[in-house]
Amino acid sequence: MATATRLGKIAVAAVATAAGGSFLLQPSLASNDRGTSGHALESYRNKINDLTAVVPPRSVQESALIGASPVNPLDILVVGGGATGCGVALDAVTRGLRVGLVEREDFSSGTSSRSTKLIHGGVRYLEKAVFNLDYKQLKLVFHALEERKQFIENAPHLCHALPCMTPCFDWFEVIYYWIGLKMYDLVAGSRLLHLSRYYSAQESVELFPTLARNGQGRSLKGTVVYYDGQMNDSRVNVGLACTAALAGAAVLNYAEVVGFLKDEGNDRIIGATIRDKLSGREFDTYAKVIVNAAGPFCDSVRKMADKEAVSMICPSSGVHVVLPDYYSPEGMGLIVPKTKDGRVVFMLPWLGRTVAGTTDSNTGITMVPEPHEDEIQFILDAISDYLNVKVRRTDVLSAWSGIRPLAIDPSAKNTESISRDHVVCEDYPGLVTITGGKWTTYRSMAEDAVNAAIKSGKLKPTNECVTNKLRLVGGDGWGPAYFTVLAQQYLRMKKSHSGKVVPGVMDTAAARHLSLAYGILGEKVAAIAQNENLGKRLAHGYPFLEAEVAYCARHEYCESAVDFIARRSRLAFLDTDAANHALPRVIEILADEHNWDKKRQKQELQKAKQFLETFKSSKNAHFHDGKHS
């Protein structure tokens, strides 16, 4: 009876959605198609996609911030260089506002580089919406699906659709997941990536060879496959920062807010004192509105303005592990639909390896969170029941933890339910806080924050929001076959240990990597590899080239070795041991680019090795359960 009731609810909801779809699928106000200035959009597209344009040097960006004065302030100063903060900077500057952004570490150094790499509409939220008859959860799904398609279109080189397989071990599960995922397709409407479908047990094993036919005494009846998006998260984040810079925003990493400046007359925040962490010097910058987009650290920013501010962040730890490529086929992900803590665990192909996660547990807030051994083992145990390959701790190439900034609205009357949606508030004059939400909806979160800032500061933008139609740098003019241009037109000139220059082909793996990581700007990287003899690979088995280090130092604000191995490339996240081996050469190239002396090079090596120790691969983990050596 209970089964029939549950299926009935889904069926009724599906019919209701179909009947009322024309209303529910209308773009929300956040997607903002109302009266956008085509001239402004075209102007910013031209600035961003000009192949001769380069991002202003870091020194120029700092000077722009220093130049903001009480009589000539910025319109908006953004605090935080994650996905949301960089999204806010891009949105604001393309509305014709004068914008600065400061990030105390590197762009994407926190939560935004430690995601599951999915651009998803929220299948679990849809399930909750149906069973709890919760319209708020349903709106969350509609909104995320609207943004998902736009996200992929705006960064086509860094994002793609990925099929995800849900194993079913009895016929009820087949019917249940098939109906649920057909609803997901229906809700997506015109934003659909591809239709979901059922595969028999035999077809499923052919598509996913390591999938177990039997698990926990049950035999596989088939699988249901649906599509979500996948991305290279920190590359998207860096792309946002660079796109904002090209559009005219003054973005500055390694710049920490150490205090706020207030108007003595009305106590409104009118600026901030910034410490440049690379030079050590401090300076003041002024803005009509400050936008706090510091993610898990947004409470510490709020309490800098008001020591009595009520906390609005409930931090949650999300751990992921990276396994060899043979755990999953290249073009198919796997979903473990129910784990011991009620979460969905994903096992996804990513950049030639397999990423599995995530956990959801309470945590403290730290700059570089580390995964606990029991969390790693939890993920390995969760996927082992669904695979015919032995899941071994010694196969873990890298493991990391990220902190989700789950938000509690400080203006809400009760805090019983922590929102998975985002919260925008101004609980101190001149300081607008945006937090919560998820990667998928970063663009609309930024739009909401800028709207709030405009209202707070009585700002006068020259046009409406255009980011729903604006591709990130490198994406305009890119296509899936673009890598062939690199493979056919460029060589990888490599310098041997003896100093002799040896020509090498731009093989498919290297060309495809440059295309997917840099879009049409891959040609600039390929030109460095060819013309400056920096065509050698940095680590065996990975396509990352020496030329990328030089390119990122010149054009992507790469200021440290960790910046490169963790965020400009993804080597630390893919394989801790390989990143360790690449470090000396990465530092050598960065030293040439930034004129580092021997002391600074030694410091960089030490800091990078300490950073890599926080990634609990099988090479550097400290086991506590006695099962591993």
Side-chain angles (χ1 to χ4, degrees):
M1 185 64 185
T3 298
T5 303
R6 292 169 74 189
L7 288 174
K9 281 185 179 180
I10 294 177
V12 169
V15 172
T17 303
S22 59
F23 168 72
L24 291 171
L25 291 173
Q26 291 301 311
S28 68
L29 287 176
S31 63
N32 199 352
D33 277 326
R34 51 192 188 279
T36 297
S37 168
H39 176 73
L41 177 62
E42 195 60 32
S43 173
Y44 284 114
R45 279 177 175 165
N46 291 337
K47 287 180 72 173
I48 291 162
N49 298 311
D50 180 357
L51 292 178
T52 64
V54 294
V55 296
R58 190 173 181 280
S59 58
V60 171
Q61 300 288 53
E62 184 169 276
S63 295
L65 293 175
I66 294 171
S69 66
V71 294
N72 186 28
L74 300 168
D75 288 311
I76 294 175
L77 175 67
V78 185
V79 180
T84 306
C86 289
V88 169
L90 179 59
D91 185 311
V93 75
T94 53
R95 295 201 208 190
L97 297 172
R98 190 173 171 215
V99 180
L101 178 147
V102 290
E103 160 58 48
R104 69 172 170 181
E105 296 297 325
D106 182 31
F107 307 118
S108 198
S109 57
T111 303
S112 296
S113 62
R114 295 167 179 262
S115 74
T116 310
K117 323 305 176 194
L118 281 177
I119 313 164
H120 62 93
V123 175
R124 289 180 295 124
Y125 306 146
L126 181 60
E127 186 178 32
K128 289 177 184 177
V130 172
F131 290 129
N132 300 332
L133 300 178
D134 187 340
Y135 182 62
K136 186 177 180 182
Q137 292 280 353
L138 189 60
K139 284 202 301 183
L140 206 64
V141 178
F142 282 127
H143 179 55
L145 287 168
E146 288 172 13
E147 291 297 322
R148 180 186 69 176
K149 188 73 179 289
Q150 201 62 57
F151 193 133
I152 295 171
E153 289 176 358
N154 283 350
H157 54 304
L158 295 165
C159 310
H160 60 273
L162 178 72
C164 297
M165 178 178 281
T166 305
C168 304
F169 288 90
D170 62 49
W171 290 111
F172 167 73
E173 286 184 345
V174 172
I175 297 168
Y176 178 76
Y177 290 122
W178 185 85
I179 292 176
L181 291 169
K182 283 300 175 186
M183 275 188 63
Y184 195 55
D185 292 348
L186 188 62
V187 170
S190 62
R191 304 287 186 172
L192 182 71
L193 298 179
H194 298 285
L195 281 169
S196 61
R197 62 160 294 181
Y198 164 78
Y199 289 97
S200 69
Q202 181 59 37
E203 290 172 322
S204 300
V205 171
E206 289 174 1
L207 287 168
F208 206 112
T210 54
L211 181 64
R213 278 184 173 270
N214 296 285
Q216 298 179 327
R218 301 181 300 168
S219 60
L220 184 70
K221 299 298 187 290
T223 61
V224 182
V225 173
Y226 79 100
Y227 286 77
D228 258 331
Q230 190 179 45
M231 63 172 164
N232 187 338
D233 52 7
S234 73
R235 292 282 327 152
V236 175
N237 199 155
V238 170
L240 281 166
C242 292
T243 305
L246 289 168
V251 302
L252 192 67
N253 54 357
Y254 296 100
E256 181 178 11
V257 173
V258 294
F260 286 125
L261 307 171
K262 298 180 181 179
D263 187 308
E264 293 180 2
N266 58 19
D267 207 34
R268 181 183 175 90
I269 293 176
I270 57 170
T273 300
I274 312 295
R275 178 186 296 127
D276 183 333
K277 295 180 69 174
L278 298 184
S279 68
R281 72 169 174 163
E282 293 187 1
F283 60 89
D284 291 340
T285 190
Y286 292 83
K288 296 174 185 176
V289 185
I290 310 285
V291 174
N292 171 16
F297 300 95
C298 81
D299 279 339
S300 63
V301 174
R302 291 170 63 241
K303 288 176 181 178
M304 206 179 293
D306 178 9
K307 293 179 181 178
E308 306 302 318
V310 177
S311 295
M312 61 185 295
I313 292 297
C314 182
S316 169
S317 169
V319 172
H320 297 80
V321 302
V322 172
L323 299 161
D325 55 351
Y326 59 75
Y327 272 81
S328 62
E330 184 177 346
M332 182 71 73
L334 183 74
I335 296 176
V336 176
K338 290 179 182 177
T339 62
K340 288 180 288 186
D341 70 349
R343 282 193 67 77
V344 172
V345 166
F346 294 90
M347 194 175 81
L348 311 168
W350 183 62
L351 301 183
R353 296 294 178 262
T354 299
V355 61
T358 177
T359 60
D360 187 10
S361 53
N362 294 332
T363 186
I365 297 177
T366 58
M367 288 299 297
V368 185
E370 298 185 29
H372 296 296
E373 190 61 35
D374 57 348
E375 293 175 308
I376 295 171
Q377 200 58 53
F378 170 85
I379 295 169
L380 298 179
D381 290 343
I383 64 174
S384 65
D385 292 336
Y386 293 82
L387 301 178
N388 60 26
V389 62
K390 187 177 180 182
V391 179
R392 306 180 302 179
R393 179 61 177 87
T394 51
D395 285 338
V396 174
L397 301 171
S398 184
W400 73 87
S401 175
I403 302 173
R404 297 183 198 87
L406 303 182
I408 303 169
D409 190 339
S411 63
K413 293 181 180 178
N414 67 71
T415 56
E416 290 176 6
S417 179
I418 296 170
S419 176
R420 293 279 174 168
D421 203 353
H422 63 276
V423 173
V424 181
C425 65
E426 184 180 9
D427 50 356
Y428 196 94
L431 180 65
V432 171
T433 294
I434 169 80
T435 192
K438 57 184 179 179
W439 241 117
T440 305
T441 57
Y442 86 87
R443 191 208 63 81
S444 64
M445 289 170 62
E447 185 176 350
D448 288 348
V450 175
N451 288 343
I454 289 170
K455 183 179 179 181
S456 171
K458 298 182 175 61
L459 308 180
K460 296 179 180 178
T462 59
N463 54 271
E464 303 241 350
C465 175
V466 299
T467 55
N468 59 331
K469 298 176 182 176
L470 188 68
R471 284 191 167 175
L472 300 190
V473 62
D476 206 45
W478 180 90
Y482 173 73
F483 75 96
T484 59
V485 174
L486 302 178
Q488 291 181 344
Q489 296 186 9
Y490 292 91
L491 295 174
R492 291 194 297 118
M493 305 300 288
K494 299 174 283 187
K495 191 175 290 185
S496 67
H497 292 297
S498 63
K500 183 180 179 182
V501 176
V502 182
V505 296
M506 184 68 73
D507 56 276
T508 301
R512 193 185 297 275
H513 159 66
L514 294 182
S515 170
L516 294 175
Y518 304 92
I520 62 170
L521 299 182
E523 286 196 62
K524 289 189 175 183
V525 187
I528 294 172
Q530 177 175 280
N531 301 333
E532 300 182 33
N533 305 328
L534 292 173
K536 191 181 290 185
R537 282 187 166 87
L538 289 165
H540 179 72
Y542 292 90
F544 306 109
L545 304 182
E546 293 174 335
E548 294 179 67
V549 186
Y551 176 84
C552 292
R554 297 171 196 175
H555 303 294
E556 291 189 352
Y557 302 114
C558 179
E559 303 295 334
S560 75
V562 170
D563 290 353
F564 184 81
I565 62 171
R567 294 172 287 270
R568 304 308 183 281
S569 76
R570 307 316 308 277
L571 202 47
F573 285 81
L574 289 168
D575 191 327
T576 308
D577 194 46
N580 254 314
H581 282 95
L583 269 177
R585 183 58 179 145
V586 169
I587 292 170
E588 188 178 4
I589 298 169
L590 285 175
D592 287 340
E593 296 294 325
H594 293 314
N595 297 314
W596 291 345
D597 58 21
K598 292 295 183 182
K599 181 182 177 182
R600 174 67 187 271
Q601 292 178 52
K602 188 176 180 180
Q603 289 172 343
E604 285 291 323
L605 184 62
Q606 184 179 5
K607 285 180 182 177
K609 285 186 174 294
Q610 288 173 349
F611 175 79
L612 289 174
E613 281 293 321
T614 67
F615 288 70
K616 302 302 182 185
S617 70
S618 58
K619 296 282 186 181
N620 67 0
H622 302 287
F623 300 117
H624 304 296
D625 57 7
K627 294 179 183 176
H628 312 288
S629 59

